[in-house]
Amino acid sequence: MTNLDGEMPAAGDNAKEFLRLLTLHDRQTFAYILLLVPNFNDAEEIAQEVRVKLWQQFGDRFERGTDFGAWARSVAFYEVRAFRRSARRQPIGFSQELLESLGQEFQPAEEELSERRAALDECLSRLSAPVREMLRRHYAGESWEQISQRMNRSTAGLRKAVYRARRTLADCIARTMRREA
């Protein structure tokens, strides 16, 4: 794997790039594994093996500029198959055909989720800074009382404002998705 100048990246750069991409795609890869292996503990075990394999193969097999998430899911798919072969101790009950079908269905769902996230980002940017801050605090887990004190608003007014902002975002996302479809 070379950089844009045709030189091999430094080992530290390779690790940083790997960690950045892994962080971006780790949840989606785990969700994919969990779709194929319904036992959470087994999925965790497989996910750890996938992370190790991804790191081992990152320098040799992954080409920069390609879809890391798709590559991670393909590695995960083969790890799930290997797990199924070696873990006959606990029958999973899925046929190979069903596994492959589930794996193929995951990609369009992930693409739609990615499009919805992009629409959310666009719609959030249209909100005023105080409304974005109010939503950020709410979804960060601050209590209604804490937010109302910080923003100098009544709790009831704050709840109504969050409801209106969520409704505005939902409508904006729906319009954006229809426009892009």
Side-chain angles (χ1 to χ4, degrees), residues 90-105:
Q90 190 177 42
I92 294 174
F94 292 161
S95 68
Q96 188 62 36
E97 294 79 25
L98 179 59
L99 266 181
E100 290 176 12
S101 175
L102 287 172
Q104 291 169 356
E105 292 293 322

Side-chain angles (χ1 to χ4, degrees), residues 107-120:
Q107 182 68 28
E110 183 181 10
E111 288 171 6
E112 180 183 344
L113 191 58
S114 180
E115 290 169 6
R116 290 183 71 79
R117 266 193 228 109
L120 173 61

